[in-house]
Amino acid sequence: MNKLLLIDDDVEYCQILSELLTLEGFSVDTAHDGVKGAEMALDEEFNLVLLDAGLPKIDGFEVLRRVRLKSDIPILMLTARGDEIDRVVGLEMGADDYLAKPFSNRELTARIRAILRRGSTKIDPQPVKITIEDLRLQTDVRQLFMSEELVPLTGAEFLTLQLLVQNAGQLVDRRELTIFALGRGLHEYDRAIDVHLSNLRKKLGLKSDGSQRIKTVRGTGFYYIKSS
């Protein structure tokens, strides 16, 4: 049974959501302020964290920052419907995905299952090494080494890079990349994959010759630029 941590300051809402998720086969623990939530996320074993952006004591973004300093546990941010900036900031800080309130029970359950399915099924059981230029991807443990230095990546960031590198020099469709990296379809005005790519660009930097690594083809997709 997958164990979830729900961090939200609305006690009644947490109770309702916990009952729903329990019926769906999950085990759910709750925390109602940011400090407690961050402590539980780091001190206990969970498969996924549901993190509300607006929390007392410390907000959801500070919780995310603290957790990401020590853990790569999948985190699904819960944000207000109109707060696009919150969604972007959450992704930039290391959230795996976001869901805007109010959402349907079916949508929440589907998003949770997509993240968990991505985490459990796309890790190669055998050690597979993908090398391109100064990058080495170890797919069995989802680790990236650049010039033999470990570069911390979230699960979504690693899968994004993996698919691009495996198809280096070829265009990867935005929808295909979203399905592979996030385990879900592409939604209207969906910027999640763009933010994960932005994070990758910051972490990887330029190539040794000063050129870009990843190119965006507007409205179509992306590709990893393979040096000639």
Side-chain angles (χ1 to χ4, degrees):
M1 179 179 291
N2 286 302
K3 188 176 179 182
L4 312 180
L5 173 61
L6 172 59
I7 308 175
D8 194 297
D9 62 334
D10 189 329
V11 177
E12 184 177 359
Y13 176 76
C14 283
Q15 183 177 353
I16 294 171
L17 207 54
S18 295
E19 291 175 357
L20 162 71
L21 294 172
T22 299
L23 290 174
E24 293 290 339
F26 300 108
S27 171
V28 184
D29 286 358
T30 59
H32 304 304
D33 68 71
V35 172
K36 181 63 175 178
E39 290 175 352
M40 291 179 66
L42 291 172
D43 293 343
E44 303 179 36
E45 292 291 329
F46 294 100
N47 300 100
L48 183 143
V49 175
L50 299 169
L51 176 61
D52 187 58
L55 294 169
K57 296 189 178 179
I58 59 172
D59 65 19
F61 303 106
E62 177 61 16
V63 174
L64 179 58
R65 188 192 69 81
R66 293 186 185 186
V67 172
R68 278 290 172 261
L69 287 174
K70 299 180 179 180
S71 173
D72 61 357
I73 183 174
I75 296 177
L76 177 60
M77 289 288 294
L78 306 178
T79 67
R81 175 67 69 182
D83 292 344
E84 180 180 357
I85 186 63
D86 283 355
R87 298 195 285 273
V88 172
V89 170
L91 291 168
E92 288 177 340
M93 294 180 67
D96 291 77
D97 208 348
Y98 64 81
L99 192 56
K101 295 179 177 179
F103 44 75
S104 69
N105 295 340
R106 178 177 295 183
E107 185 178 14
L108 173 63
T109 303
R111 194 66 63 88
I112 291 171
R113 293 194 190 283
I115 295 174
L116 294 174
R117 185 168 58 247
R118 182 193 74 206
S120 63
T121 62
K122 285 195 172 74
I123 295 181
D124 296 320
Q126 299 298 323
V128 176
K129 182 173 67 173
I130 304 171
T131 302
I132 181 168
E133 299 160 352
D134 59 339
L135 303 183
R136 174 166 58 86
L137 288 77
Q138 199 74 31
T139 62
D140 57 324
V141 290
R142 288 189 182 160
Q143 289 185 335
L144 168 68
F145 294 87
M146 183 166 61
S147 300
E148 299 307 316
E149 292 288 332
L150 179 64
V151 179
L153 298 180
T154 66
E157 290 167 359
F158 184 90
L159 290 173
T160 298
L161 181 61
Q162 178 183 335
L163 189 61
L164 291 175
V165 166
Q166 286 176 331
N167 296 275
Q170 303 176 46
L171 182 69
V172 178
D173 179 77
R174 176 186 296 272
R175 185 175 300 276
E176 178 187 357
L177 188 57
T178 299
I179 292 172
F180 185 84
L182 302 183
R184 62 167 175 81
L186 184 65
H187 306 300
E188 190 176 11
Y189 307 117
D190 193 341
R191 296 185 58 193
I193 204 68
D194 299 87
V195 179
H196 288 309
L197 279 161
S198 176
N199 289 342
L200 274 174
R201 288 186 173 105
K202 292 174 184 175
K203 291 181 178 182
L204 299 178
L206 301 174
K207 295 185 180 183
S208 58
D209 61 1
S211 63
Q212 296 286 339
R213 296 178 185 271
I214 300 170
K215 181 175 178 62
T216 299
V217 180
R218 190 173 182 85
T220 305
F222 315 88
Y223 65 89
Y224 189 94
I225 302 172
K226 193 174 182 179
S227 298
S228 56

